Amino acid sequence: MAIPQPTPARGVSASTWIAIGLVLLFASIPLVSGGSFALSRYIVALAYVITAIGVNLAMGYAGEFVLGHPVIMGVSAYTAGMLSARLGWSIGATLPCALATGVLAGMLIMSPGLRVRGWYYSLITMFAVLVLPPVVMMAKPWTGGEDGLTGIKALTLFGERVPDWALFEISLRSEEHTSE
């Protein structure tokens, strides 16, 4: 019986180097950014990247074309925002509730996938995306409707407000770990 020989170590692929370069580029944005408005735009862009990763997982690995990810993100965001703005909860207290409602919304929206496949499943999840904005408008006393939700508490750490550049870095790091 032959003893298996170890395979020589392979070099790092080009796509890995590109990913590392992009992460370093994104991590340097706060150093050259003009202010909090620009950083907030980058944070939104990173949120879209995280959503794209979720769609890639559903479409690329599971083989289902799912469009319900924005609804799950919206339900979680509105849960955290309403608990903070309306009830005065801190961000640390709102996160578990937002996570739980996001999971429940995901289970509710994605449950037809147990019986329906293909384009039918895509249409069902797209229906959820089309229904969310009118629901937000009907719940204007709680959600703020078209004007948005105001009065959300800022993220604080040890009694100090976390600066916008740190929020950007947190978003970037969460995206970095999500894509691994």
Side-chain angles (χ1 to χ4, degrees):
M1 181 166 179
I3 298 174
Q5 298 297 321
T7 58
R10 295 183 305 171
V12 179
S13 69
S15 62
T16 302
W17 284 113
I18 291 171
I20 290 170
L22 287 173
V23 167
L24 291 174
L25 176 72
F26 288 142
S28 66
I29 287 175
L31 301 174
V32 296
S33 177
S36 62
F37 176 73
L39 282 175
S40 66
R41 289 177 46 201
Y42 294 127
I43 290 171
V44 169
L46 285 173
Y48 288 143
V49 168
I50 292 170
T51 303
I53 290 169
V55 170
N56 180 36
L57 287 172
M59 183 71 174
Y61 293 105
E64 293 291 335
F65 187 52
V66 181
L67 301 170
H69 293 93
V71 175
I72 298 168
M73 288 177 63
V75 167
S76 295
Y78 270 111
T79 299
M82 287 189 294
L83 290 174
S84 176
R86 305 290 185 238
L87 300 178
W89 288 20
S90 68
I91 289 184
T94 64
L95 288 179
C97 295
L99 180 65
T101 56
V103 168
L104 289 174
M107 288 172 56
L108 180 68
I109 294 168
M110 306 306 174
S111 62
L114 297 173
R115 293 197 171 258
V116 180
R117 297 276 187 247
W119 288 107
Y120 299 109
Y121 186 49
S122 301
L123 289 173
I124 290 171
T125 57
M126 188 175 93
F127 175 73
V129 173
L130 295 175
V131 166
L132 182 66
V135 168
V136 169
M137 299 304 284
M138 289 188 301
K140 186 174 182 173
W142 299 287
T143 63
E146 289 179 343
D147 299 327
L149 190 59
T150 58
I152 299 173
K153 291 185 173 185
L155 179 63
T156 58
L157 190 62
F158 305 116
E160 295 291 322
R161 185 179 182 277
V162 176
D164 291 333
W165 64 266
L167 294 174
F168 175 79
E169 290 295 328
I170 291 168
S171 301
L172 178 66
R173 299 295 177 232
S174 67
E175 184 275 327
E176 179 181 314
H177 291 292
T178 305
S179 63
E180 289 179 356

